[in-house]
Amino acid sequence: DTGVSQDPRHKITKRGQNVTFRCDPISEHNRLYWYRQTLGQGPEFLTYFQNEAQLEKSRLLSDRFSAERPKGSFSTLEIQRTEQGDSAMYLCASSLQDLTEAFFGQGTRLTVV
Amino acid sequence: QKEVEQDPGPLSVPEGAIVSLNCTYSNSAFQYFMWYRQYSRKGPELLMYTYSSGNKEDGRFTAQVDKSSKYISLFIRDSQPSDSATYLCAIAAGSEKLVFGKGTKLTVNP
């Protein structure tokens, strides 16, 4: 499978715990995006990387959220001290040229209990 | 006012019907207009994108943009049960950030 890969697909965690998600973009795609999608809503932009540089962040990305792309390949999104409001689908996308050709992964569904 | 408004439906049509899905937007700076299809518990899949006002056709799908009225549409001809999904409009203003509508859930009944 040469698409965008996200791991895990599902995560259930207790409130207050830390969680980390991983995204493997399509090989050679230098742009990587994270979005969050809650039930009945469209995806909301969280952050964007070009290679290893994090170039844009949404104000949705509070201090509890941190994203990295250390070698310009895979990316991780960590949420510290999870809250019930963090329950959502976390989507990763990658592209080579621009966002008009971004491919999304299947997402990581987070449930905070 | 939200940047992108989309009627969430749900929309239910018989097989073979023409489907019209619509979004309005508020920011004149938006330049890129996209439609995504999302099946249940899957990531969004890009269907079509366009930069300019007018129509763009791809098989049974036609995307239409009217920048003067800030209105975009997706038409699906000869709809099939396999078209049943949530359709999301997405718009961008030149940055790397897509602004999505809420999505319209479509069911095509055999």
Side-chain angles (χ1 to χ4, degrees):
Chain A
D1 186 353
T2 57
V4 177
S5 177
Q6 292 189 245
D7 184 68
R9 292 292 310 277
H10 305 277
K11 178 71 176 180
I12 300 174
T13 191
K14 291 184 178 180
R15 188 162 48 102
Q17 298 294 304
N18 299 344
V19 293
T20 300
F21 311 139
R22 177 179 170 123
C23 171
D24 285 274
I26 294 172
S27 179
E28 297 179 355
H29 278 193
N30 57 4
R31 296 166 189 237
L32 187 145
Y33 314 83
W34 285 99
Y35 284 78
R36 180 175 72 184
Q37 186 175 23
T38 54
L39 201 61
Q41 303 294 318
E44 295 174 292
F45 172 82
L46 291 178
T47 191
Y48 154 65
F49 289 86
Q50 186 162 336
N51 299 310
E52 65 273 11
Q54 188 173 20
L55 297 184
E56 196 167 347
K57 288 170 63 171
S58 164
R59 63 179 183 277
L60 291 175
L61 218 64
S62 74
D63 291 346
R64 297 184 299 105
F65 287 71
S66 63
E68 293 183 344
R69 195 181 182 198
K71 296 182 181 178
S73 57
F74 73 91
S75 176
T76 58
L77 178 67
E78 181 184 17
I79 309 174
Q80 296 182 327
R81 305 181 303 282
T82 52
E83 302 172 355
Q84 286 190 319
D86 297 330
S87 296
M89 172 85 90
Y90 289 84
L91 292 161
C92 176
S94 72
S95 73
L96 183 59
Q97 298 286 350
D98 59 45
L99 49 71
T100 62
E101 53 176 34
F103 291 89
F104 281 83
Q106 301 286 43
T108 293
R109 184 172 297 278
L110 173 67
T111 302
V112 182
V113 297
Chain B
Q1 182 185 9
K2 295 195 77 172
E3 287 188 284
V4 180
E5 299 275 4
Q6 181 176 10
D7 185 343
L11 188 60
S12 182
V13 301
E15 183 175 353
I18 296 174
V19 176
S20 172
L21 305 164
N22 310 294
C23 290
T24 57
Y25 61 95
S26 57
N27 188 345
S28 300
F30 284 134
Q31 300 173 346
Y32 308 96
F33 307 92
M34 282 157 253
W35 285 96
Y36 284 82
R37 177 174 62 197
Q38 187 173 28
Y39 292 112
S40 182
R41 301 186 181 276
K42 303 287 188 184
E45 169 195 9
L46 179 65
L47 283 175
M48 300 181 69
Y49 73 88
T50 183
Y51 299 98
S52 56
S53 280
N55 294 352
K56 182 176 181 180
E57 192 173 315
D58 184 1
R60 296 185 296 109
F61 297 88
T62 300
Q64 187 176 82
V65 175
D66 182 346
K67 287 189 176 182
S68 62
S69 56
K70 300 188 185 71
Y71 193 87
I72 66 172
S73 300
L74 178 71
F75 299 96
I76 308 174
R77 291 187 301 279
D78 187 24
S79 55
Q80 303 295 310
S82 59
D83 295 329
S84 297
T86 296
Y87 289 80
L88 298 152
C89 63
I91 307 178
S95 73
E96 295 296 324
K97 169 187 157 184
L98 282 172
V99 180
F100 282 86
K102 279 189 174 184
T104 300
K105 186 172 182 179
L106 170 68
T107 301
V108 180
N109 301 299

